PDB file of all heavy atoms in Angstrom:
ATOM      1  N   SER A   6      12.090   5.569   7.931  1.00  0.00           N
ATOM      2  CA  SER A   6      12.961   6.735   8.080  1.00  0.00           C
ATOM      3  C   SER A   6      12.180   7.904   8.673  1.00  0.00           C
ATOM      4  O   SER A   6      10.950   7.881   8.768  1.00  0.00           O
ATOM      5  CB  SER A   6      13.537   7.128   6.721  1.00  0.00           C
ATOM      6  OG  SER A   6      12.508   7.609   5.879  1.00  0.00           O
ATOM      7  N   GLU A   7      12.913   8.951   9.044  1.00  0.00           N
ATOM      8  CA  GLU A   7      12.309  10.157   9.625  1.00  0.00           C
ATOM      9  C   GLU A   7      11.377  10.844   8.628  1.00  0.00           C
ATOM     10  O   GLU A   7      10.412  11.493   9.021  1.00  0.00           O
ATOM     11  CB  GLU A   7      13.409  11.128  10.065  1.00  0.00           C
ATOM     12  CG  GLU A   7      14.361  10.568  11.112  1.00  0.00           C
ATOM     13  CD  GLU A   7      13.696  10.337  12.450  1.00  0.00           C
ATOM     14  OE1 GLU A   7      12.744  11.046  12.801  1.00  0.00           O
ATOM     15  OE2 GLU A   7      14.135   9.415  13.164  1.00  0.00           O
ATOM     16  N   GLU A   8      11.657  10.734   7.332  1.00  0.00           N
ATOM     17  CA  GLU A   8      10.848  11.403   6.306  1.00  0.00           C
ATOM     18  C   GLU A   8       9.485  10.753   6.110  1.00  0.00           C
ATOM     19  O   GLU A   8       8.611  11.328   5.470  1.00  0.00           O
ATOM     20  CB  GLU A   8      11.590  11.407   4.957  1.00  0.00           C
ATOM     21  CG  GLU A   8      12.877  12.204   4.944  1.00  0.00           C
ATOM     22  CD  GLU A   8      14.056  11.392   5.474  1.00  0.00           C
ATOM     23  OE1 GLU A   8      14.079  10.155   5.301  1.00  0.00           O
ATOM     24  OE2 GLU A   8      14.947  12.001   6.090  1.00  0.00           O
ATOM     25  N   THR A   9       9.282   9.575   6.644  1.00  0.00           N
ATOM     26  CA  THR A   9       8.022   8.855   6.448  1.00  0.00           C
ATOM     27  C   THR A   9       6.845   9.639   7.006  1.00  0.00           C
ATOM     28  O   THR A   9       5.790   9.710   6.368  1.00  0.00           O
ATOM     29  CB  THR A   9       8.085   7.462   7.119  1.00  0.00           C
ATOM     30  OG1 THR A   9       9.254   6.797   6.681  1.00  0.00           O
ATOM     31  CG2 THR A   9       6.866   6.646   6.794  1.00  0.00           C
ATOM     32  N   VAL A  10       7.000  10.227   8.170  1.00  0.00           N
ATOM     33  CA  VAL A  10       5.901  10.965   8.807  1.00  0.00           C
ATOM     34  C   VAL A  10       5.449  12.107   7.911  1.00  0.00           C
ATOM     35  O   VAL A  10       4.243  12.270   7.647  1.00  0.00           O
ATOM     36  CB  VAL A  10       6.322  11.485  10.205  1.00  0.00           C
ATOM     37  CG1 VAL A  10       5.235  12.358  10.801  1.00  0.00           C
ATOM     38  CG2 VAL A  10       6.641  10.328  11.129  1.00  0.00           C
ATOM     39  N   ALA A  11       6.398  12.901   7.398  1.00  0.00           N
ATOM     40  CA  ALA A  11       6.049  14.038   6.544  1.00  0.00           C
ATOM     41  C   ALA A  11       5.395  13.561   5.250  1.00  0.00           C
ATOM     42  O   ALA A  11       4.387  14.140   4.798  1.00  0.00           O
ATOM     43  CB  ALA A  11       7.291  14.869   6.241  1.00  0.00           C
ATOM     44  N   ALA A  12       5.938  12.512   4.648  1.00  0.00           N
ATOM     45  CA  ALA A  12       5.385  12.007   3.397  1.00  0.00           C
ATOM     46  C   ALA A  12       3.974  11.456   3.605  1.00  0.00           C
ATOM     47  O   ALA A  12       3.069  11.710   2.799  1.00  0.00           O
ATOM     48  CB  ALA A  12       6.295  10.927   2.823  1.00  0.00           C
ATOM     49  N   LEU A  13       3.766  10.727   4.690  1.00  0.00           N
ATOM     50  CA  LEU A  13       2.447  10.153   4.966  1.00  0.00           C
ATOM     51  C   LEU A  13       1.436  11.251   5.277  1.00  0.00           C
ATOM     52  O   LEU A  13       0.298  11.206   4.805  1.00  0.00           O
ATOM     53  CB  LEU A  13       2.522   9.148   6.114  1.00  0.00           C
ATOM     54  CG  LEU A  13       1.244   8.384   6.432  1.00  0.00           C
ATOM     55  CD1 LEU A  13       0.721   7.638   5.218  1.00  0.00           C
ATOM     56  CD2 LEU A  13       1.480   7.416   7.577  1.00  0.00           C
ATOM     57  N   ARG A  14       1.836  12.252   6.041  1.00  0.00           N
ATOM     58  CA  ARG A  14       0.926  13.377   6.319  1.00  0.00           C
ATOM     59  C   ARG A  14       0.556  14.103   5.025  1.00  0.00           C
ATOM     60  O   ARG A  14      -0.603  14.480   4.835  1.00  0.00           O
ATOM     61  CB  ARG A  14       1.553  14.340   7.317  1.00  0.00           C
ATOM     62  CG  ARG A  14       1.593  13.808   8.736  1.00  0.00           C
ATOM     63  CD  ARG A  14       1.878  14.922   9.750  1.00  0.00           C
ATOM     64  NE  ARG A  14       2.258  14.385  11.038  1.00  0.00           N
ATOM     65  CZ  ARG A  14       1.390  13.961  11.959  1.00  0.00           C
ATOM     66  NH1 ARG A  14       0.108  14.002  11.724  1.00  0.00           N
ATOM     67  NH2 ARG A  14       1.827  13.493  13.117  1.00  0.00           N
ATOM     68  N   ALA A  15       1.520  14.301   4.127  1.00  0.00           N
ATOM     69  CA  ALA A  15       1.237  14.949   2.842  1.00  0.00           C
ATOM     70  C   ALA A  15       0.256  14.109   2.030  1.00  0.00           C
ATOM     71  O   ALA A  15      -0.679  14.649   1.419  1.00  0.00           O
ATOM     72  CB  ALA A  15       2.532  15.162   2.068  1.00  0.00           C
ATOM     73  N   ASP A  16       0.448  12.788   2.020  1.00  0.00           N
ATOM     74  CA  ASP A  16      -0.484  11.900   1.312  1.00  0.00           C
ATOM     75  C   ASP A  16      -1.869  11.961   1.926  1.00  0.00           C
ATOM     76  O   ASP A  16      -2.879  11.959   1.213  1.00  0.00           O
ATOM     77  CB  ASP A  16       0.022  10.456   1.348  1.00  0.00           C
ATOM     78  CG  ASP A  16       1.195  10.203   0.414  1.00  0.00           C
ATOM     79  OD1 ASP A  16       1.441  11.047  -0.473  1.00  0.00           O
ATOM     80  OD2 ASP A  16       1.862   9.156   0.578  1.00  0.00           O
ATOM     81  N   MET A  17      -1.943  12.022   3.246  1.00  0.00           N
ATOM     82  CA  MET A  17      -3.242  12.063   3.936  1.00  0.00           C
ATOM     83  C   MET A  17      -3.968  13.375   3.640  1.00  0.00           C
ATOM     84  O   MET A  17      -5.199  13.383   3.514  1.00  0.00           O
ATOM     85  CB  MET A  17      -3.056  11.865   5.445  1.00  0.00           C
ATOM     86  CG  MET A  17      -2.608  10.462   5.809  1.00  0.00           C
ATOM     87  SD  MET A  17      -2.176  10.272   7.542  1.00  0.00           S
ATOM     88  CE  MET A  17      -3.786  10.275   8.298  1.00  0.00           C
ATOM     89  N   GLU A  18      -3.230  14.468   3.540  1.00  0.00           N
ATOM     90  CA  GLU A  18      -3.862  15.752   3.217  1.00  0.00           C
ATOM     91  C   GLU A  18      -4.318  15.782   1.766  1.00  0.00           C
ATOM     92  O   GLU A  18      -5.385  16.310   1.451  1.00  0.00           O
ATOM     93  CB  GLU A  18      -2.894  16.902   3.499  1.00  0.00           C
ATOM     94  CG  GLU A  18      -2.676  17.150   4.969  1.00  0.00           C
ATOM     95  CD  GLU A  18      -1.607  18.211   5.232  1.00  0.00           C
ATOM     96  OE1 GLU A  18      -1.196  18.905   4.268  1.00  0.00           O
ATOM     97  OE2 GLU A  18      -1.200  18.345   6.394  1.00  0.00           O
ATOM     98  N   ALA A  19      -3.512  15.227   0.861  1.00  0.00           N
ATOM     99  CA  ALA A  19      -3.850  15.231  -0.558  1.00  0.00           C
ATOM    100  C   ALA A  19      -5.021  14.307  -0.857  1.00  0.00           C
ATOM    101  O   ALA A  19      -5.846  14.606  -1.730  1.00  0.00           O
ATOM    102  CB  ALA A  19      -2.633  14.815  -1.385  1.00  0.00           C
ATOM    103  N   ASN A  20      -5.116  13.204  -0.161  1.00  0.00           N
ATOM    104  CA  ASN A  20      -6.181  12.229  -0.414  1.00  0.00           C
ATOM    105  C   ASN A  20      -6.656  11.683   0.925  1.00  0.00           C
ATOM    106  O   ASN A  20      -6.174  10.651   1.375  1.00  0.00           O
ATOM    107  CB  ASN A  20      -5.647  11.112  -1.309  1.00  0.00           C
ATOM    108  CG  ASN A  20      -6.746  10.230  -1.827  1.00  0.00           C
ATOM    109  OD1 ASN A  20      -7.909  10.393  -1.481  1.00  0.00           O
ATOM    110  ND2 ASN A  20      -6.372   9.273  -2.647  1.00  0.00           N
ATOM    111  N   PRO A  21      -7.625  12.361   1.579  1.00  0.00           N
ATOM    112  CA  PRO A  21      -8.042  11.957   2.926  1.00  0.00           C
ATOM    113  C   PRO A  21      -8.610  10.541   3.021  1.00  0.00           C
ATOM    114  O   PRO A  21      -8.539   9.918   4.070  1.00  0.00           O
ATOM    115  CB  PRO A  21      -9.116  12.977   3.300  1.00  0.00           C
ATOM    116  CG  PRO A  21      -8.929  14.105   2.353  1.00  0.00           C
ATOM    117  CD  PRO A  21      -8.291  13.561   1.132  1.00  0.00           C
ATOM    118  N   GLY A  22      -9.160  10.018   1.952  1.00  0.00           N
ATOM    119  CA  GLY A  22      -9.765   8.685   2.010  1.00  0.00           C
ATOM    120  C   GLY A  22      -8.794   7.576   1.721  1.00  0.00           C
ATOM    121  O   GLY A  22      -9.153   6.408   1.726  1.00  0.00           O
ATOM    122  N   GLY A  23      -7.547   7.894   1.440  1.00  0.00           N
ATOM    123  CA  GLY A  23      -6.583   6.860   1.081  1.00  0.00           C
ATOM    124  C   GLY A  23      -6.615   6.619  -0.404  1.00  0.00           C
ATOM    125  O   GLY A  23      -7.456   7.163  -1.133  1.00  0.00           O
ATOM    126  N   PHE A  24      -5.691   5.857  -0.893  1.00  0.00           N
ATOM    127  CA  PHE A  24      -5.635   5.537  -2.311  1.00  0.00           C
ATOM    128  C   PHE A  24      -6.453   4.293  -2.534  1.00  0.00           C
ATOM    129  O   PHE A  24      -6.072   3.199  -2.146  1.00  0.00           O
ATOM    130  CB  PHE A  24      -4.187   5.323  -2.766  1.00  0.00           C
ATOM    131  CG  PHE A  24      -3.369   6.574  -2.678  1.00  0.00           C
ATOM    132  CD1 PHE A  24      -2.296   6.652  -1.812  1.00  0.00           C
ATOM    133  CD2 PHE A  24      -3.676   7.669  -3.447  1.00  0.00           C
ATOM    134  CE1 PHE A  24      -1.537   7.793  -1.729  1.00  0.00           C
ATOM    135  CE2 PHE A  24      -2.922   8.826  -3.373  1.00  0.00           C
ATOM    136  CZ  PHE A  24      -1.851   8.888  -2.508  1.00  0.00           C
ATOM    137  N   ASP A  25      -7.599   4.460  -3.172  1.00  0.00           N
ATOM    138  CA  ASP A  25      -8.483   3.332  -3.420  1.00  0.00           C
ATOM    139  C   ASP A  25      -8.032   2.664  -4.702  1.00  0.00           C
ATOM    140  O   ASP A  25      -7.908   3.301  -5.742  1.00  0.00           O
ATOM    141  CB  ASP A  25      -9.929   3.824  -3.547  1.00  0.00           C
ATOM    142  CG  ASP A  25     -10.914   2.675  -3.610  1.00  0.00           C
ATOM    143  OD1 ASP A  25     -10.525   1.539  -3.318  1.00  0.00           O
ATOM    144  OD2 ASP A  25     -12.069   2.938  -3.950  1.00  0.00           O
ATOM    145  N   ASP A  26      -7.809   1.363  -4.636  1.00  0.00           N
ATOM    146  CA  ASP A  26      -7.376   0.648  -5.830  1.00  0.00           C
ATOM    147  C   ASP A  26      -8.559   0.104  -6.626  1.00  0.00           C
ATOM    148  O   ASP A  26      -8.389  -0.692  -7.534  1.00  0.00           O
ATOM    149  CB  ASP A  26      -6.409  -0.482  -5.468  1.00  0.00           C
ATOM    150  CG  ASP A  26      -6.973  -1.436  -4.442  1.00  0.00           C
ATOM    151  OD1 ASP A  26      -8.146  -1.254  -4.039  1.00  0.00           O
ATOM    152  OD2 ASP A  26      -6.250  -2.361  -4.035  1.00  0.00           O
ATOM    153  N   GLY A  27      -9.781   0.528  -6.272  1.00  0.00           N
ATOM    154  CA  GLY A  27     -10.956   0.119  -7.019  1.00  0.00           C
ATOM    155  C   GLY A  27     -11.513  -1.222  -6.605  1.00  0.00           C
ATOM    156  O   GLY A  27     -12.435  -1.720  -7.208  1.00  0.00           O
ATOM    157  N   VAL A  28     -10.964  -1.835  -5.581  1.00  0.00           N
ATOM    158  CA  VAL A  28     -11.425  -3.135  -5.127  1.00  0.00           C
ATOM    159  C   VAL A  28     -12.182  -2.948  -3.823  1.00  0.00           C
ATOM    160  O   VAL A  28     -11.662  -2.360  -2.882  1.00  0.00           O
ATOM    161  CB  VAL A  28     -10.227  -4.097  -4.924  1.00  0.00           C
ATOM    162  CG1 VAL A  28     -10.713  -5.445  -4.437  1.00  0.00           C
ATOM    163  CG2 VAL A  28      -9.436  -4.242  -6.208  1.00  0.00           C
ATOM    164  N   SER A  29     -13.412  -3.420  -3.779  1.00  0.00           N
ATOM    165  CA  SER A  29     -14.202  -3.295  -2.553  1.00  0.00           C
ATOM    166  C   SER A  29     -13.678  -4.284  -1.519  1.00  0.00           C
ATOM    167  O   SER A  29     -13.036  -5.278  -1.868  1.00  0.00           O
ATOM    168  CB  SER A  29     -15.679  -3.583  -2.844  1.00  0.00           C
ATOM    169  OG  SER A  29     -15.854  -4.954  -3.110  1.00  0.00           O
ATOM    170  N   PRO A  30     -13.974  -4.046  -0.231  1.00  0.00           N
ATOM    171  CA  PRO A  30     -13.510  -4.980   0.806  1.00  0.00           C
ATOM    172  C   PRO A  30     -14.015  -6.400   0.581  1.00  0.00           C
ATOM    173  O   PRO A  30     -13.304  -7.362   0.847  1.00  0.00           O
ATOM    174  CB  PRO A  30     -14.061  -4.387   2.103  1.00  0.00           C
ATOM    175  CG  PRO A  30     -14.246  -2.936   1.813  1.00  0.00           C
ATOM    176  CD  PRO A  30     -14.579  -2.857   0.356  1.00  0.00           C
ATOM    177  N   ALA A  31     -15.254  -6.564   0.093  1.00  0.00           N
ATOM    178  CA  ALA A  31     -15.781  -7.901  -0.163  1.00  0.00           C
ATOM    179  C   ALA A  31     -15.009  -8.581  -1.282  1.00  0.00           C
ATOM    180  O   ALA A  31     -14.693  -9.773  -1.217  1.00  0.00           O
ATOM    181  CB  ALA A  31     -17.266  -7.828  -0.507  1.00  0.00           C
ATOM    182  N   GLU A  32     -14.691  -7.803  -2.347  1.00  0.00           N
ATOM    183  CA  GLU A  32     -13.914  -8.367  -3.441  1.00  0.00           C
ATOM    184  C   GLU A  32     -12.506  -8.714  -2.981  1.00  0.00           C
ATOM    185  O   GLU A  32     -11.949  -9.732  -3.368  1.00  0.00           O
ATOM    186  CB  GLU A  32     -13.845  -7.374  -4.610  1.00  0.00           C
ATOM    187  CG  GLU A  32     -15.169  -7.182  -5.326  1.00  0.00           C
ATOM    188  CD  GLU A  32     -15.108  -6.052  -6.349  1.00  0.00           C
ATOM    189  OE1 GLU A  32     -14.197  -5.203  -6.244  1.00  0.00           O
ATOM    190  OE2 GLU A  32     -15.953  -6.026  -7.234  1.00  0.00           O
ATOM    191  N   GLU A  33     -11.927  -7.862  -2.144  1.00  0.00           N
ATOM    192  CA  GLU A  33     -10.583  -8.111  -1.634  1.00  0.00           C
ATOM    193  C   GLU A  33     -10.566  -9.379  -0.792  1.00  0.00           C
ATOM    194  O   GLU A  33      -9.655 -10.187  -0.881  1.00  0.00           O
ATOM    195  CB  GLU A  33     -10.106  -6.926  -0.804  1.00  0.00           C
ATOM    196  CG  GLU A  33      -8.671  -7.069  -0.341  1.00  0.00           C
ATOM    197  CD  GLU A  33      -8.175  -5.824   0.361  1.00  0.00           C
ATOM    198  OE1 GLU A  33      -8.397  -4.719  -0.145  1.00  0.00           O
ATOM    199  OE2 GLU A  33      -7.572  -5.990   1.435  1.00  0.00           O
ATOM    200  N   GLU A  34     -11.614  -9.587   0.007  1.00  0.00           N
ATOM    201  CA  GLU A  34     -11.692 -10.793   0.823  1.00  0.00           C
ATOM    202  C   GLU A  34     -11.810 -12.024  -0.061  1.00  0.00           C
ATOM    203  O   GLU A  34     -11.210 -13.053   0.210  1.00  0.00           O
ATOM    204  CB  GLU A  34     -12.896 -10.697   1.762  1.00  0.00           C
ATOM    205  CG  GLU A  34     -12.931 -11.797   2.792  1.00  0.00           C
ATOM    206  CD  GLU A  34     -14.044 -11.574   3.792  1.00  0.00           C
ATOM    207  OE1 GLU A  34     -14.124 -10.480   4.362  1.00  0.00           O
ATOM    208  OE2 GLU A  34     -14.824 -12.511   3.978  1.00  0.00           O
ATOM    209  N   ALA A  35     -12.578 -11.904  -1.153  1.00  0.00           N
ATOM    210  CA  ALA A  35     -12.726 -13.033  -2.067  1.00  0.00           C
ATOM    211  C   ALA A  35     -11.410 -13.338  -2.770  1.00  0.00           C
ATOM    212  O   ALA A  35     -11.090 -14.493  -3.043  1.00  0.00           O
ATOM    213  CB  ALA A  35     -13.820 -12.741  -3.091  1.00  0.00           C
ATOM    214  N   ILE A  36     -10.618 -12.299  -3.046  1.00  0.00           N
ATOM    215  CA  ILE A  36      -9.328 -12.503  -3.700  1.00  0.00           C
ATOM    216  C   ILE A  36      -8.405 -13.289  -2.790  1.00  0.00           C
ATOM    217  O   ILE A  36      -7.700 -14.189  -3.238  1.00  0.00           O
ATOM    218  CB  ILE A  36      -8.681 -11.139  -4.069  1.00  0.00           C
ATOM    219  CG1 ILE A  36      -9.477 -10.471  -5.182  1.00  0.00           C
ATOM    220  CG2 ILE A  36      -7.236 -11.331  -4.487  1.00  0.00           C
ATOM    221  CD1 ILE A  36      -9.070  -9.038  -5.441  1.00  0.00           C
TER     222      ILE A  36
END
């Protein structure tokens, strides 16, 4: 939807690194 851009920009400003779920890329690959 049109609101996605605004919501995603707000999320990016609030948390510039993204939402980390605590799983490293190596662990995610193993999963």
Side-chain angles (χ1 to χ4, degrees):
S6 67
E7 300 292 330
E8 296 84 32
T9 308
V10 174
L13 185 56
R14 287 195 195 278
D16 286 345
M17 291 172 74
E18 288 175 12
N20 191 356
F24 294 116
D25 188 13
D26 55 3
V28 179
S29 71
E32 290 172 340
E33 185 174 314
E34 189 174 308
I36 291 170

